Amino acid sequence: MGHADLGARHSGAGDSVPTLVLRPGHVQPVWAGHPWVFTQALKPAPTPIEAGSEVRVLDVQGNCLGRGLYSPGSALAVRLYTRKDEPVDRALIQARIARAIERRKISGLPDAGTSGFRLIHAEGDGLPGVIVDRFRDVLAVQWGSIGIKQREAWVLDALTELLEPRAIVERTSQATARLEGFEAGNRVIRGDESLTHFEFSELGLAYSIPLTLAQKTGYYFDQRPLRARIKELSRGLSVLDTYTYVGSLARAAAAGGAQRVVGVDSSRDAIEVAKAQLSNDSPPVEFQCADAQSALSAAAGEGGYDLVICDPPKLAKSRKSRDGALGLMRQLIGSGVAATRERGTFVICSCSAAIGVSELMRATALGARDQGREIRVLERVFQGADHPVPAAFPEGLYLTTLICAVD
């Protein structure tokens, strides 16, 4: 079945929505369900289109492939919201949010031990440019495009009606806002303006994270599956968690019965927040403000740990930077393997979509080889069910973790 069989033919008569046409050779990904349309894939618009406008995307035969919101200042020109020739309006936004909430309930979120999770995952929930994390009765939102920023009231009204949150906090990246051409905020935009902390639970552990800790929405919910696995693997072990941020993987290891846990991060603010979480943890985690490479080298010199975790920030921001990032990853893995005792376990994470399972496995093999060690991948862990991904959107599978046995 070809494109023309599935796309609705559009005449454009009597419709004020601007139309953009894909160049030949660029139709297949969009037709298959990819939610992004890049500037280079589009023919020039016959007349200027205002930033944030709703647009209709057609193939060269005039078949409508969907509607989305326009970002002229970005290489990502259109984010598609619907595959139908229907308006991107308040009703569509509310329906998508309601469906996202339903998906989390089906996945068992929230539950008795977890009140913090990702509520809306942008393209994964049919709402490109919208990230919403739920911290019990508080929501944190990020706007990723000028189009959805112009329609933020639709999102905020739906969230308020469906969930009645105590407060909604904006946590939009300044870099994203500049690129898209709008003003970003890091403040309470609805509800309790006296709010100072995100308070929630995950896997039975309580967290209180100040709004002033400027790290995306405030917490990395995507690693919850790994934290659950670390909790299961850690009993009786010595554990080193590098890039610990607010200590969630380290605390999971402690909750799982680890004998000793050390958490390391180069951010003094993050370490202070991590230390503040420890009142009921047993054994208490030893948090240190230090560079990960230095901590790994020191650990190797002291005989190593039974379980070593390396969860670095994004190293490859695009495919162009992948080769350099893989070199850095190889070095980090070598240091991590050297810090792991014989017959121990080494965990390496990549949050770069450009570094998938095969690339990470090769870097792991080379890093271990540099140390003269043998390594075997036991498990692969990915982002949780609250971070869904459209099947036609491989970029959405950005988080990969390998759990390895080191000999």
Side-chain angles (χ1 to χ4, degrees):
M1 182 176 288
H3 309 153
D5 297 310
L6 290 181
R9 193 78 178 180
H10 171 70
S11 66
D15 197 319
S16 61
V17 176
T19 294
L20 291 168
V21 180
L22 289 167
R23 296 178 185 274
H26 293 272
V27 173
Q28 180 64 30
V30 178
W31 173 80
H34 200 291
W36 293 350
V37 181
F38 292 95
T39 300
Q40 65 185 17
L42 292 166
K43 292 184 176 182
T47 58
I49 301 174
E50 291 187 8
S53 294
E54 178 182 348
V55 294
R56 177 184 288 107
V57 177
L58 308 181
D59 66 14
V60 290
Q61 284 80 36
N63 299 305
C64 181
L65 299 177
R67 292 199 195 186
L69 302 180
Y70 185 55
S71 294
S74 170
L76 203 175
V78 182
R79 292 168 172 85
L80 289 171
Y81 279 71
T82 175
R83 300 287 152 182
K84 301 177 182 178
D85 197 357
E86 63 181 351
V88 180
D89 57 12
R90 182 184 289 268
L92 183 145
I93 297 297
Q94 177 151 0
R96 296 287 170 81
I97 292 173
R99 181 71 178 106
I101 294 170
E102 180 185 14
R103 284 193 187 96
R104 276 58 184 180
K105 290 180 179 178
I106 292 170
S107 298
L109 294 171
D111 63 26
T114 298
S115 62
F117 52 92
R118 176 142 298 176
L119 184 72
I120 298 174
H121 188 54
E123 289 83 3
D125 286 299
L127 290 165
V130 183
I131 294 289
V132 181
D133 281 351
R134 181 171 182 175
F135 298 89
R136 200 170 65 192
D137 57 352
V138 172
L139 304 177
V141 301
Q142 284 184 323
W143 310 119
S145 77
I146 188 169
I148 198 62
K149 173 64 175 178
Q150 292 173 353
R151 296 160 178 80
E152 67 178 327
W154 296 354
V155 177
L156 300 178
D157 288 349
L159 291 170
T160 299
E161 178 181 338
L162 294 169
L163 296 173
E164 300 181 349
R166 172 187 164 197
I168 302 178
V169 183
E170 182 180 348
R171 302 279 292 195
T172 300
S173 156
Q174 292 288 344
T176 297
R178 283 193 299 270
L179 177 65
E180 289 285 324
F182 65 88
E183 294 293 324
N186 189 353
R187 65 193 186 283
V188 175
I189 53 177
R190 287 204 179 181
D192 185 359
E193 295 184 357
S194 68
L195 184 76
T196 60
H197 286 70
F198 293 120
E199 297 183 342
F200 64 101
S201 60
E202 182 188 72
L203 303 174
L205 296 172
Y207 288 87
S208 179
I209 299 176
L211 272 59
T212 53
L213 193 63
Q215 192 73 14
K216 296 193 175 181
T217 60
Y219 190 75
Y220 294 106
F221 286 122
D222 51 6
Q223 285 285 31
R224 185 176 60 257
L226 178 60
R227 288 188 280 270
R229 193 69 184 107
I230 292 297
K231 184 177 179 180
E232 295 170 343
L233 292 172
S234 297
R235 179 165 298 279
L237 304 183
S238 59
V239 180
L240 174 61
D241 175 28
T242 60
Y243 305 97
T244 194
Y245 184 46
V246 295
S248 54
L249 282 165
R251 292 187 68 200
Q259 180 184 24
R260 181 194 179 200
V261 185
V262 177
V264 175
D265 200 280
S266 60
S267 168
R268 188 167 299 280
D269 289 342
I271 286 295
E272 290 305 313
V273 171
K275 289 178 178 178
Q277 315 298 312
L278 292 179
S279 58
N280 297 317
D281 287 14
S282 181
V285 181
E286 304 166 36
F287 284 116
Q288 303 173 4
C289 183
D291 171 76
Q293 287 281 7
S294 299
L296 291 169
S297 296
E302 295 165 2
Y305 288 75
D306 300 314
L307 173 58
V308 175
I309 305 166
C310 293
D311 184 12
K314 182 183 290 189
L315 297 178
K317 295 185 178 180
S318 68
R319 292 195 178 276
K320 292 181 180 179
S321 62
R322 179 171 58 187
D323 289 347
L326 285 170
L328 294 174
M329 187 68 81
R330 175 178 176 173
Q331 294 175 25
L332 175 62
I333 291 167
S335 298
V337 168
T340 305
R341 290 175 179 165
E342 187 176 353
R343 297 185 180 180
T345 302
F346 173 64
V347 177
I348 181 66
C349 310
S350 169
C351 59
S352 304
I355 301 177
V357 173
S358 59
E359 293 89 356
L360 188 58
M361 286 185 67
R362 178 168 173 76
T364 298
L366 294 174
R369 182 68 184 86
D370 292 340
Q371 300 297 324
R373 306 285 294 276
E374 291 191 17
I375 195 163
R376 291 170 174 81
V377 176
L378 302 178
E379 301 179 48
R380 292 145 299 278
V381 183
F382 304 97
Q383 61 219 58
D386 54 343
H387 291 66
V389 181
F393 184 48
E395 296 89 341
L397 289 170
Y398 66 92
L399 182 60
T400 302
T401 296
L402 304 180
I403 299 176
C404 306
V406 180
D407 293 327

